[in-house]
Amino acid sequence: MQEPLLKTVELKKTFGDTCVLNGISTEIYEGEKVVVIGPSGSGKSTFLRCLNLLETPTDGAIYFGGEELTHSTDLEEHRKKMGMVFQHFNLFPHLTVLKNVTLAAVEARLQERKKRKLKISKKQIVAEENERAMKLLARIGLEDKADAYPSTLSGGQKQRIAIVRALAMNPKVMLFDEPTSALDPEMVGEVLSLMKELADEGMTMIVVTHEMRFAREVATRVLFMDGGKIAAEGPPEEIFGAPKDERLKAFLSKVL
Amino acid sequence: MDINLLNAKTLTERLRSAFVVENRWLLYFQGLGNTLLMSLFAVCIGVALGVILGAIIYTEKKTGKAKILAAICKVYVTVIRGTPVVLQLFIMYFIVLVSVKNGIVVGSVTFGLNSAAYVAEVARAGLESVDEGQMEAGRSLGLSYSKTMFKIILPQAFRNIIPALFNEFIALVKETSVAGYVGILDLGKVPGLIQSRTFDYLFPLLFASLLYLVVVYLLTIIEKFIEKQLSKSDRDGGKKIITGGRKKCKNRS
């Protein structure tokens, strides 16, 4: 039996008196594309943000590649393997597109060089990472924007660059937090098709989204969250085709 | 009003006694030199210490860590901002640094420590002006807190606080004119010195003021230049820039 890549055990999160996550236990295997749906306030985003500890869970455990994260002293190493894409892109506005993509990767390699006393010049590292970044940018057709600043780009371009920025770290899993919610409708397509490509290449993905069509087409498993719990889960055919849970039925009738 | 202002003959004589006699013009530039020296050191101390103070207070507010350290910083800011700089200068000159013979050093340290409190508040506001998503994005890429701070948050904060920071520098340059109270020969002290010889304040005061004005004007030019350099990346024309700073009145008799 294959080990799960990510596993949560009775994950709980409270903000003051409000309980946002009320015991989430799930396992995510390599290559899975898990889409998390649910009404707003159901804890979807908080769940996702707990996975790489942007939010510290109040209780419970998270295992990533077999290692427990909530007490990890090496959180940064784990985070490098989890790419995260945000609703509001969060590109670094003071850096060019190319620097946005290479910054963290260069830093990571400089750190490694120091730790393992590698004999490679900083210039060499930067040159290599620039080359890799340019290939990634070429892939999304934005290599001509390498020297532009984010403020000159459209929302769709920004989000695709944010995805590439996460990919530059060679992550094992990609976390998407409502990646298309802040986009103009005509730009949603370009971002979703890039995500679909990634899925087809076998990337493990966890996606919080309101795009039900995307969920139906790409997901290998759908989690329906409500009131801080997983209220229903299963393959998309089952969730969308033959929902059993009453709350799920009510939710789907509103969004579909 | 000075009744002799319109008399050309006495005016030339007064000009002469204010600048030419005994090479008095040298005094102004000696004073200016000391003022610039103190201001420069004070700005360096103020920015270095102020940014650290601001970052600590910001970190405590965001993460809840370093509570005791932040409390100390807050007390420092409150005390320094709550007492007149002249008294701080006296305290330094006559008590804390009484063994230091060099007045310029005492002045630099005093004004630097004073400025740090103001810079701390400016820096904190600047850090808070950066979107929270920036820190999250940095951390999610595996960068450490301090790396994210230095590479991502601080550069953006810095851009946003340039006007407030230069307000502080300008205030600081003029503030150093209280140094004369403890016998440091700064630019503000020179007119009084010359008047004590010539019994005429007119030109010494005008010229010393003009020199301050020139210095401040140069600072403004530097500010505009830096702002222009840093605004390359924005299309919004720097909407988030924080303006304003301290307005202080000094009651020099």
Side-chain angles (χ1 to χ4, degrees):
Chain A
M1 180 79 190
Q2 181 196 9
E3 275 277 307
L5 183 63
L6 251 173
K7 179 172 142 184
T8 67
V9 182
E10 281 299 307
L11 205 59
K12 283 183 186 148
K13 176 74 187 175
T14 52
F15 290 106
D17 292 334
T18 352
C19 178
V20 185
L21 294 183
N22 192 11
I24 307 267
S25 299
T26 187
E27 289 176 356
I28 290 150
Y29 291 88
E30 221 172 296
E32 265 197 296
K33 293 108 190 54
V34 178
V35 173
V36 186
I37 60 171
S40 51
S42 59
K44 316 181 289 286
S45 280
T46 310
F47 169 62
L48 198 72
R49 291 160 56 82
C50 275
L51 292 179
N52 66 353
L53 271 89
L54 282 184
E55 302 286 354
T56 317
T58 320
D59 199 14
I62 303 164
Y63 296 90
F64 178 57
E67 279 187 67
E68 214 280 318
L69 290 191
T70 54
H71 295 98
S72 171
T73 50
D74 211 7
L75 200 50
E76 270 116 42
E77 281 309 308
H78 296 300
R79 278 188 178 138
K80 283 172 194 162
K81 295 173 205 145
M82 299 180 174
M84 178 128 187
V85 177
F86 300 87
Q87 183 179 355
H88 296 289
F89 331 131
N90 297 349
L91 290 180
F92 308 131
H94 62 302
L95 300 177
T96 61
V97 165
L98 187 65
K99 276 284 261 182
N100 261 280
V101 177
T102 56
L103 175 73
V106 169
E107 285 301 328
R109 287 191 59 186
L110 286 177
Q111 219 182 359
E112 195 186 275
R113 178 181 75 163
K114 205 169 145 195
K115 204 160 71 185
R116 295 182 21 200
K117 300 200 173 73
L118 299 176
K119 282 202 183 73
I120 179 167
S121 70
K122 183 176 174 182
K123 225 172 159 181
Q124 173 100 34
I125 291 178
V126 171
E128 283 175 25
E129 288 305 322
N130 280 352
E131 203 188 311
R132 273 187 58 220
M134 286 310 285
K135 272 185 199 149
L136 284 166
L137 286 173
R139 172 183 171 168
I140 56 170
L142 289 178
E143 67 266 54
D144 57 323
K145 298 285 186 191
D147 295 321
Y149 285 93
S151 59
T152 61
L153 305 174
S154 75
Q157 290 172 332
K158 282 184 200 169
Q159 193 60 301
R160 285 187 291 145
I161 286 163
I163 293 173
V164 162
R165 177 176 72 176
L167 288 177
M169 301 299 290
N170 293 322
K172 286 190 171 159
V173 53
M174 286 283 284
L175 313 174
F176 291 87
D177 188 4
E178 302 199 24
T180 58
S181 297
L183 292 175
D184 289 340
E186 77 265 29
M187 293 173 182
V188 171
E190 57 187 274
V191 172
L192 288 184
S193 65
L194 175 59
M195 288 166 65
K196 225 174 271 176
E197 267 180 51
L198 287 182
D200 292 340
E201 284 163 21
M203 176 64 79
T204 313
M205 295 166 52
I206 305 170
V207 187
V208 171
T209 186
H210 295 288
E211 297 289 333
M212 294 304 150
R213 249 186 61 197
F214 177 83
R216 204 181 289 212
E217 283 170 31
V218 176
T220 53
R221 178 155 58 110
V222 178
L223 296 185
F224 171 67
M225 284 184 63
D226 192 36
K229 285 189 166 238
I230 298 176
E233 70 176 298
E237 309 81 57
E238 190 183 309
I239 293 285
F240 294 108
K244 291 187 198 92
D245 186 86
E246 282 309 312
R247 284 175 296 178
L248 175 58
K249 274 187 209 162
F251 173 72
L252 289 176
S253 73
K254 272 182 224 150
V255 295
L256 290 181
Chain B
M1 273 300 270
D2 191 333
I3 49 161
N4 284 326
L5 264 184
L6 297 175
N7 188 330
K9 202 169 170 194
T10 48
L11 273 187
T12 21
E13 193 46 45
R14 291 168 76 179
L15 259 174
R16 243 178 62 79
S17 71
F19 298 109
V20 186
V21 178
E22 291 177 355
N23 275 337
R24 287 190 184 126
W25 60 277
L26 275 172
L27 271 179
Y28 297 95
F29 291 98
Q30 203 186 336
L32 178 66
N34 287 342
T35 292
L36 291 179
L37 208 59
M38 278 193 293
S39 303
L40 190 69
F41 283 128
V43 161
C44 294
I45 298 173
V47 169
L49 183 61
V51 169
I52 294 172
L53 290 172
I56 291 172
I57 296 173
Y58 168 84
T59 302
E60 190 262 348
K61 195 170 168 185
K62 290 281 162 184
T63 65
K65 285 175 191 156
K67 277 203 165 57
I68 297 169
L69 209 55
I72 296 171
C73 296
K74 282 179 197 165
V75 169
Y76 180 84
V77 170
T78 309
V79 170
I80 295 288
R81 292 205 304 173
T83 49
V85 69
V86 183
L87 297 190
Q88 290 168 13
L89 185 65
F90 285 160
I91 291 171
M92 288 306 244
Y93 195 79
F94 294 117
I95 302 169
V96 183
L97 296 177
V98 71
S99 58
V100 179
K101 296 281 182 296
N102 189 333
I104 305 287
V105 173
V106 178
S108 303
V109 171
T110 308
F111 297 122
L113 293 180
N114 178 272
S115 185
Y118 292 89
V119 173
E121 282 300 281
V122 170
R124 183 188 56 78
L127 291 170
E128 280 171 12
S129 75
V130 178
D131 187 68
E132 283 188 36
Q134 294 290 308
M135 178 57 87
E136 292 183 350
R139 300 309 302 278
S140 78
L141 287 165
L143 297 173
S144 65
Y145 183 84
S146 58
K147 266 275 182 278
T148 313
M149 202 67 179
F150 280 108
K151 294 270 175 184
I152 295 164
I153 311 293
L154 275 174
Q156 293 182 56
F158 182 68
R159 203 198 72 187
N160 294 349
I161 62 173
I162 293 291
L165 214 49
F166 271 85
N167 254 353
E168 170 55 29
F169 295 164
I170 288 170
L172 180 64
V173 169
K174 293 179 293 177
E175 188 115 293
T176 57
S177 63
V178 300
Y181 273 110
V182 294
I184 300 167
L185 182 75
D186 75 305
L187 184 53
K189 172 96 168 167
V190 173
L193 208 64
I194 292 177
Q195 189 269 348
S196 67
R197 304 290 292 272
T198 64
F199 304 104
D200 186 4
Y201 256 134
L202 180 65
F203 289 110
L205 281 181
L206 287 181
F207 189 59
S209 304
L210 180 70
L211 287 181
Y212 275 114
L213 185 62
V214 169
V215 172
V216 169
Y217 187 68
L218 287 178
L219 274 175
T220 330
I221 291 175
I222 296 172
E223 176 192 352
K224 294 290 168 255
F225 176 76
I226 295 179
E227 264 183 40
K228 209 173 163 188
Q229 291 300 308
L230 292 179
S231 66
K232 275 185 208 150
S233 62
D234 59 23
R235 212 171 35 170
D236 62 0
K239 257 187 254 156
K240 275 189 286 183
I241 280 176
I242 296 162
T243 49
R246 62 166 149 180
K247 284 198 187 80
K248 290 205 273 183
C249 57
K250 249 182 358 248
N251 33 5
R252 268 200 102 173
S253 49

